Amino acid sequence: KKTFFVDTLPNGIDPVIMVAEKVPGAKIIIMTRDIESLLYANACRKIGYQGEVNVNSNTFKKILFSQKEFEKKMSIFYHKSAKLKASYKNIIFVNFNDLILNTENTMKELAKFIGIEYEPILASPSINGKVINSDKHQIIGSINDDPYKHLSEADMDLLKYVVHGFNKQYSFFK
């Protein structure tokens, strides 16, 4: 019988490092997403806490410049994750977009990685074996908080500038 432990890691990568060091056979799955999408999704979440539902250009800009700490935390997370992967073979990175847009193949790969037989329910959003559906938001096949779909090109340039700093590729002074 296999034992499974799941943690969403609100405290960063350090607990994963500890598990990798203390439990040598542990299989660790790390979800990745591009930093622009993470900042946008985090801004949407914060705006939702304020009672606003639609994230338009103005509401996004209100919150964008308060994202520096989150961006720093995620950069540290990805840097430490890459170092961890280099040191341990039982770690797999799963790209968020692949999971949502290519769910079945991604779940087959994950089932193989953790050593379980693939079953179709693994490709369906479920909790404790019961499939969940959302009439309001499609869960599989569409990324609901994709900044490339919801922000203008100018807003995306601003987001990239905030993330990557002043360089020629994302400069307003091209």
Side-chain angles (χ1 to χ4, degrees):
K1 181 176 172 163
K2 295 182 181 193
T3 302
F4 297 95
F5 168 75
V6 177
D7 190 358
T8 58
L9 301 176
N11 297 316
I13 191 72
D14 293 331
V16 173
I17 293 169
M18 186 181 71
V19 169
E21 290 172 350
K22 304 283 185 204
V23 187
K27 303 274 183 142
I28 298 172
I29 301 167
I30 298 175
M31 182 73 64
T32 63
R33 193 172 186 190
D34 67 273
I35 194 71
E36 295 87 2
S37 295
L38 281 172
L39 289 175
Y40 180 75
N42 193 53
C44 291
R45 183 179 55 81
K46 284 185 166 190
I47 290 167
Y49 291 155
Q50 298 170 4
E52 296 187 43
V53 177
N54 291 330
V55 179
N56 60 34
S57 181
N58 291 332
T59 56
F60 177 67
K61 286 175 190 167
K62 282 182 200 175
I63 203 155
L64 176 62
F65 294 102
S66 67
Q67 297 280 329
K68 203 62 186 164
E69 278 303 310
F70 181 72
E71 188 269 333
K72 182 179 175 183
K73 183 177 180 179
M74 293 312 303
S75 293
I76 291 168
F77 181 91
Y78 285 139
H79 178 73
K80 286 184 173 183
S81 296
K83 286 175 86 173
L84 183 67
K85 173 115 172 100
S87 303
Y88 296 92
K89 64 178 181 173
N90 288 337
I91 296 174
I92 188 170
F93 287 93
V94 177
N95 181 284
F96 175 83
N97 288 10
D98 291 342
L99 180 62
I100 300 301
L101 301 175
N102 191 5
T103 306
E104 185 173 358
N105 288 336
T106 303
M107 293 308 296
K108 284 178 180 178
E109 183 181 337
L110 286 173
K112 182 178 178 182
F113 174 74
I114 62 174
I116 64 171
E117 189 175 322
Y118 174 80
E119 295 179 31
I121 191 151
L122 293 175
S124 298
S126 59
I127 298 174
N128 295 327
K130 292 189 177 197
V131 175
I132 56 173
N133 289 320
S134 174
D135 294 332
K136 185 175 180 184
H137 298 289
Q138 185 177 355
I139 298 172
I140 300 295
S142 176
I143 299 172
N144 296 314
D145 56 5
D146 184 351
Y148 296 93
K149 290 181 184 174
H150 298 285
L151 295 176
S152 68
E153 186 176 341
D155 287 340
M156 280 305 302
D157 283 344
L158 176 62
L159 176 57
K160 289 175 183 177
Y161 177 78
V162 167
V163 170
H164 301 288
F166 185 80
N167 65 43
K168 204 167 192 148
Q169 183 179 2
Y170 297 115
S171 171
F172 292 117
F173 306 108
K174 291 184 204 179

